[in-house]
Amino acid sequence: MTARPTLSGVDGRRLLDRLDELAAVGATPGGGVTRLAYSPEDVRARELVAGWLADAGLAVTVDPAGNLVGRLPGTGPAAGTLATGSHLDSVVDAGRLDGVYGVVAAVAVAEALRRDGVRLRHDLAVIAFSNEEGARGTPGMVGSQAIAGRLTSDDLARPDDEGVPLADRLAAAGGDPGRIEAAAWPPGEVAGFLELHVEQGPVLRAEGARIGVVTGITGRANADILVRGLANHAGTTPMVARQDAAVAAADLVLAVRRLATDGHVRVATTGLVQVSPGVRNVVPGEALLGVDLRDLDDERITHALDLLDTAAAEIGATRHVSVEVRRGPSVPAVRTDPRLAGCVAGAADRLGLTRIELPSGAGHDAQVMAGLGPIGMIFVPSVDGISHSPRERTDPDDLVAGADVLLHALLAADGELDPE
Ligand SMILES: [Zn+2]
């Protein structure tokens, strides 16, 4: 191992100023931001960041999928690319940090390396992925899917909630849907991808840790539960004779919750409950429940779905209704690379920052980039664990510290990783 170059760290003041500058692009009255993918605000944010990247001496391109990529060539001709970044788009009335922070910090890292005269062995790529959030009912992580070579012509043709095909949205925002395959990176190019993000949950603050070393991104399975009972008069139907779909639904909500509280999966949620006909004076005849299960282990999720089938059959028998569990789409869990996690942990230790390991319950572009090479993620604490809200906040000291961890972790990874 060669001697580690001296680093003076990122320019914290500039990092925070730029976060303010981007928060003004699509600002909402309540202090939040609405910067839907492919909107004029999204494009303006991308242009702002492109300017910073160019000023820092990076070669800047916008690929056919609308991803902004800044490149700093490395010294090793066949060392591949170390990539870092996140996204600039947001949900409606979002916070100012989700995604944006990882992009602005990546720019700061490139600047710090240039300023200190440090050249990496690998090419450094700073990426602002397009449409991470899935604006207007689109699938989300569209930009990273294109880089991973997974975005299909079917995806591009599919209309969003407003009836506009993804291809048209992309074209209006400076993309080139007809050349989408040109956005894909060649296999073997990515030596590693590291994404810095706000935690969007309360764990780091609760544990008193300043840095989260992310162990993986949880997998997810959805299921719909259909309950069929018998709608009947609320005044004349005796309690014992009822086939009440709402009562069965209540039992099912608790059964879903127990999948997590009994330790079968990390989190279990029934986020959708509809009963029909949905009036006060009728015993409900039908119910629909939407279930979301997440865990770092896909087999545990499958086992929990099996347990849900059993519970549903029991509840159906007890409540005299039919219960059908329909398994929906699932997203597999992704583990972070132990070497990259080690680089993050080592960087936090070197900087004297307390750290813990934790999984990500939210989806990120990193899970798509895992298809191209090893990934890692760094979390900084979210005050009150709030995100996707104007109240999303992280202490400025933590924002600067996280960017410094990204810098040191990338430098360590530069010494350790090679493309496979
Ligand atoms: Zn995000």
Side-chain angles (χ1 to χ4, degrees):
M1 187 127 182
T2 50
R4 197 176 286 282
T6 315
L7 290 171
S8 46
V10 301
D11 184 335
R13 185 66 262 161
R14 184 187 266 179
L15 174 87
L16 299 173
D17 286 347
R18 284 177 174 170
L19 288 170
D20 287 343
E21 211 174 323
L22 278 166
V25 182
T28 54
V33 61
T34 298
R35 205 164 40 235
L36 297 182
Y38 316 125
S39 68
E41 293 79 20
D42 186 33
V43 173
R44 206 175 335 138
R46 190 176 72 198
E47 284 168 356
L48 203 53
V49 174
W52 298 335
L53 286 169
D55 289 347
L58 281 77
V60 181
T61 51
V62 175
D63 75 12
N67 297 303
L68 172 68
V69 182
R71 273 189 180 271
L72 204 56
T75 57
T81 299
L82 268 182
T84 181
S86 194
H87 60 97
L88 295 171
D89 65 311
S90 82
V91 295
V92 173
D93 209 15
R96 64 213 301 279
L97 298 172
D98 179 357
V100 174
Y101 170 53
V103 175
V104 173
V107 179
V109 163
E111 286 173 338
L113 291 170
R114 293 282 312 239
R115 191 194 54 228
D116 290 341
V118 178
R119 289 202 57 196
L120 299 183
R121 206 160 55 85
H122 299 83
D123 285 5
L124 178 70
V126 172
I127 311 174
F129 295 103
S130 68
N131 195 4
E132 191 270 350
E133 297 285 7
R136 310 173 196 87
T138 53
M141 299 184 205
V142 169
S144 47
Q145 303 258 23
I147 286 180
R150 285 204 220 145
L151 196 69
T152 64
S153 46
D154 281 358
D155 295 328
L156 287 166
R158 197 165 301 131
D160 63 19
D161 287 347
E162 293 166 12
V164 181
L166 184 58
D168 292 6
R169 295 281 186 198
L170 186 52
D176 189 351
R179 294 181 52 248
I180 201 72
E181 56 293 335
W185 290 21
E189 178 180 343
V190 176
F193 173 76
L194 194 53
E195 181 170 1
L196 172 64
H197 205 282
V198 291
E199 183 201 340
Q200 305 180 276
V203 176
L204 291 177
R205 292 281 281 208
E207 300 281 331
R210 299 200 49 204
I211 293 296
V213 183
V214 178
T215 51
I217 300 167
T218 54
R220 193 171 96 188
N222 288 344
D224 284 347
I225 308 178
L226 284 80
V227 183
R228 288 186 200 88
L230 188 67
N232 209 338
H233 197 293
T236 61
T237 314
M239 297 307 286
V240 291
R242 294 186 178 199
Q243 294 174 258
D244 187 328
V247 172
D251 287 342
L252 285 159
V253 169
L254 295 174
V256 167
R257 178 183 162 79
R258 275 194 299 275
L259 294 174
T261 55
D262 290 353
H264 299 294
V265 281
R266 187 176 172 83
V267 285
T269 309
T270 308
L272 170 76
V273 181
Q274 290 171 348
V275 295
S276 64
V279 288
R280 282 182 183 75
N281 58 359
V282 178
V283 175
E286 288 186 8
L288 167 70
L289 292 85
V291 174
D292 177 297
L293 307 178
R294 303 191 192 205
D295 200 272
L296 260 188
D297 184 337
D298 295 324
E299 284 179 22
R300 276 163 49 88
I301 295 178
T302 304
H303 176 60
L305 284 168
D306 293 342
L307 292 173
L308 182 58
D309 285 339
T310 307
E314 285 168 9
I315 290 165
T318 309
R319 299 296 182 190
H320 311 294
V321 296
S322 84
V323 182
E324 182 191 348
V325 180
R326 287 188 191 162
R327 297 186 185 192
S330 62
V331 178
V334 169
R335 297 272 175 179
T336 55
D337 185 86
R339 293 165 301 173
L340 275 171
C343 292
V344 174
D349 293 348
R350 201 169 305 119
L351 294 164
L353 299 164
T354 49
R355 61 168 165 94
I356 57 165
E357 293 191 340
L358 79 171
S360 173
H364 296 288
D365 290 304
Q367 77 197 61
V368 178
M369 292 298 282
L372 287 176
I375 61 148
M377 283 198 78
I378 308 166
F379 279 171
V380 293
S382 294
V383 176
D384 299 327
I386 294 175
S387 187
H388 283 191
S389 155
R391 291 170 62 207
E392 178 184 81
R393 206 167 75 74
T394 294
D395 282 349
D397 286 352
D398 287 339
L399 291 171
V400 176
D404 274 328
V405 169
L406 178 65
L407 170 65
H408 284 265
L410 282 170
L411 194 64
D414 188 52
E416 284 186 32
L417 295 181
D418 285 294
E420 265 125 55

